[in-house]
Amino acid sequence: MAFTKVTSKVVLAEVRPGAEVLARRGAMLATSGQIAFSPVVGGPGGGAYGGGIASALARGMQGEAVPLMVAEGNGTVHYGFRGHHVTVIDLDGSQPMSVEADRLLAHDANMSSSVVFLGQQGGLRGAVRGAVTGQGLFTTQLSGRGTVAVLSHGGTFALQVGGNRQVVVDPQAYVAHVGNLRLDVATALSWRDAVGRGSGEGVQLKVSGEGTVYVQASEEKL
């Protein structure tokens, strides 16, 4: 199931049995047809869920930092969030995708999803990375074939990473990446002084490996 861009800030999703959609709570703008919404609420320590597919999805969403809603039925849903730009990314299932938890707008519910604490990706330095870059402490990882809609300030552009080509990104402009990429923080400051100063030339996100990194057109946080 693909999302159709209506404007730079709104997407249209077709919902049908077997093709449900997961989206962040508060993202629904309008619906048509017979659509029902159920909460998939996660968070440190768990949460409360709706019935049906929402209950099944919730079991794999423990630790999620952003409450989600699943759309079921037959019809369409328009999604957007607080006037932010929306980028639609199609995945063929060959490579995983990682996106900041608070930048994820919606995705096909049949995709595998897990929420990773940055400390799991790099110990204490991974957790510090989240504090330094302003990314927060959770990353949502998606795999499988499907479509993902992500949020940004001013839209996004894609940079290819591969071979000896390393890309350096302003940490607060980072949105997501697809493929097997390594993200490392480099700073001319001490780690203690760097926390809270994640923007600009003083702190950089070095991206290496094979894949694509998506960067927003602003260093402003959501």
Side-chain angles (χ1 to χ4, degrees), residues 21 24 50 55 107 130 144 166 208 213:
V21 175
R24 66 183 299 152
S55 295
H107 65 86
Q166 184 183 74
S208 58
V213 59

Side-chain angles (χ1 to χ4, degrees), residues 3-218:
F3 295 101
T4 301
K5 291 199 73 171
V6 178
T7 72
S8 62
K9 301 178 181 180
V10 178
V11 294
L12 176 68
E14 293 188 11
V15 179
R16 62 182 184 277
E20 293 81 11
V21 175
L22 271 174
R24 66 183 299 152
R25 188 170 64 191
M28 187 277 287
L29 301 176
T31 68
S32 64
Q34 301 299 314
I35 302 293
F37 295 94
S38 301
V40 182
V41 182
Y49 334 111
I53 189 172
S55 295
L57 290 166
R59 288 192 290 271
M61 298 295 291
Q62 296 300 308
E64 176 59 90
V66 176
L68 300 175
M69 301 289 289
V70 58
E72 306 173 76
N74 265 301
T76 62
V77 184
H78 285 79
Y79 288 111
F81 192 72
R82 297 181 179 175
H84 296 307
H85 283 75
V86 180
T87 299
V88 175
I89 302 170
D90 293 316
L91 300 178
D92 62 10
S94 64
Q95 295 181 313
M97 176 179 182
S98 294
V99 56
E100 289 187 42
D102 62 354
R103 294 184 184 272
L104 181 61
L105 175 65
H107 65 86
D108 291 337
N110 61 359
M111 300 180 71
S112 298
S113 174
S114 62
V115 180
V116 177
F117 175 59
L118 284 178
Q120 293 178 244
Q121 298 177 316
L124 177 61
R125 176 142 314 187
V128 172
R129 184 188 109 196
V132 170
T133 62
Q135 290 175 254
L137 296 178
F138 293 96
T139 296
T140 299
Q141 295 185 341
L142 299 168
S143 59
R145 183 186 296 272
T147 306
V148 183
V150 299
L151 298 167
S152 69
H153 278 288
T156 65
F157 57 95
L159 295 173
Q160 299 300 315
V161 183
N164 295 324
R165 174 179 168 80
Q166 184 183 74
V167 172
V168 178
V169 176
D170 182 319
Q172 293 184 11
Y174 167 85
V175 174
H177 69 266
V178 177
N180 297 308
L181 295 179
R182 177 182 175 89
L183 280 63
D184 294 303
V185 170
T187 176
L189 306 173
S190 69
W191 284 103
R192 182 177 64 183
D193 292 339
V195 173
R197 302 181 186 179
S199 171
E201 294 76 7
V203 180
Q204 300 173 340
L205 198 61
K206 294 186 175 181
V207 186
S208 58
E210 298 285 340
T212 305
V213 59
Y214 291 86
V215 184
Q216 71 173 14
S218 168

